[in-house]
Amino acid sequence: MIEAVLFDGDQTLWDFEKVMRLALDAALAELRVARPGAAADALQIDDLQADRSEVARELEGVEYNLARLRRLGFARSLRRLRGGPGDRVDDEALATQLTATYFARRDRDPALFDDTLPCLEALRADYRLGLLSNGSRLPEVVGLGGFFEAVVFAQDHNVAKPDRGIFAVAEKLLGVAPGSAVLVGDHPLNDVVGAKRSGWRAVWIDRRGDGSYPPPPGTDERPDAIITSLGQLAGVLTAL
């Protein structure tokens, strides 16, 4: 019997890609004012994100704090503008400033999907709800305060999906067994494979396609259900 329904955040409850790009655009505009020149003018949002992703790959399993990863990404972009070490003190100060701008702009727009609030309202009377995320957007900031009995962020526990450890944290906080928990998310590896290997059930939401599940290479796990809208979730849960 399903007792707890936990949700991924980014691209499941809210459009993180939209707010991320708007936030990077604001940071890039600030960077160009602080470091005017052809190199900064040529820098694009995708370059900033690529630098942040490269830092995350290098520090995988070591650094979980998203603000620090974002700051290190900005610092890498600034070093690239200089073409060398340059003035590291100035780079670090500006990277910190850009990080503050990024997170302030990121959370200005909740960017909730239209089906998020109706879904949570419909489920809250029958299930214990939680947020299980590798991100860091607080429910209160995006208008979802009071919905979740447990909020589990990877950066707070130094373990991230799909690792079994973060699912165990959620189980302990809620006091539920793996077989009574469901994770709803958009990421095949983190949300589907991670949940299934932890003994949970998994509902995969495909917000971009036709519900055709793309299994990550080398995995056999499949979601227990596939939806294209959170409006379908209540009916799916009763059938699991």
Side-chain angles (χ1 to χ4, degrees), residues 113-195:
F113 290 113
D114 291 340
D115 53 10
T116 294
L117 281 171
C119 171
L120 297 179
E121 290 284 5
L123 296 182
R124 70 192 309 181
D126 299 316
Y127 302 97
R128 301 170 69 186
L129 304 183
L131 180 68
L132 182 57
S133 174
N134 287 352
S136 63
R137 295 189 95 198
L138 294 170
E140 295 78 10
V141 172
V142 296
L144 298 181
F147 278 104
F148 302 118
E149 185 176 340
V151 176
V152 182
F153 290 129
Q155 67 175 17
D156 294 334
H157 301 279
N158 288 341
V159 61
K161 295 182 293 183
D163 192 290
R164 163 71 182 138
I166 196 168
F167 292 88
V169 170
E171 293 164 14
K172 184 176 181 180
L173 287 175
L174 289 168
V176 298
S180 64
V182 177
L183 179 62
V184 182
D186 71 296
H187 198 286
L189 179 60
N190 291 344
D191 299 323
V192 175
V193 175

Side-chain angles (χ1 to χ4, degrees), residues 172-220:
K172 184 176 181 180
L173 287 175
L174 289 168
V176 298
S180 64
V182 177
L183 179 62
V184 182
D186 71 296
H187 198 286
L189 179 60
N190 291 344
D191 299 323
V192 175
V193 175
K196 297 297 289 182
R197 290 182 179 177
S198 299
W200 292 35
R201 277 169 277 194
V203 175
W204 181 62
I205 183 165
D206 179 15
R207 290 200 175 276
R208 290 184 170 180
D210 59 2
S212 298
Y213 177 72
T219 65
D220 297 323

Side-chain angles (χ1 to χ4, degrees), residues 38-120:
D41 289 342
L43 199 64
Q44 300 298 314
I45 289 174
D46 289 343
D47 298 320
L48 297 179
Q49 188 58 16
D51 284 336
R52 190 272 186 206
S53 296
E54 185 63 26
V55 166
R57 282 192 292 271
E58 292 174 0
L59 297 178
E60 184 176 359
V62 177
E63 179 60 79
Y64 292 88
N65 185 279
L66 299 185
R68 287 197 287 268
L69 288 172
R70 181 61 68 181
R71 179 177 56 78
L72 290 170
F74 283 133
R76 174 166 294 195
S77 298
L78 291 170
R79 288 197 301 273
R80 188 146 57 87
L81 286 184
R82 291 181 180 276
D87 189 333
R88 295 188 61 182
V89 174
D90 287 349
D91 281 351
E92 291 298 325
L94 181 53
T96 298
Q97 178 183 326
L98 295 175
T99 301
T101 295
Y102 170 84
F103 281 103
R105 182 62 183 84
R106 186 198 72 171
D107 289 334
R108 186 182 302 172
D109 177 8
L112 296 176
F113 290 113
D114 291 340
D115 53 10
T116 294
L117 281 171
C119 171
L120 297 179

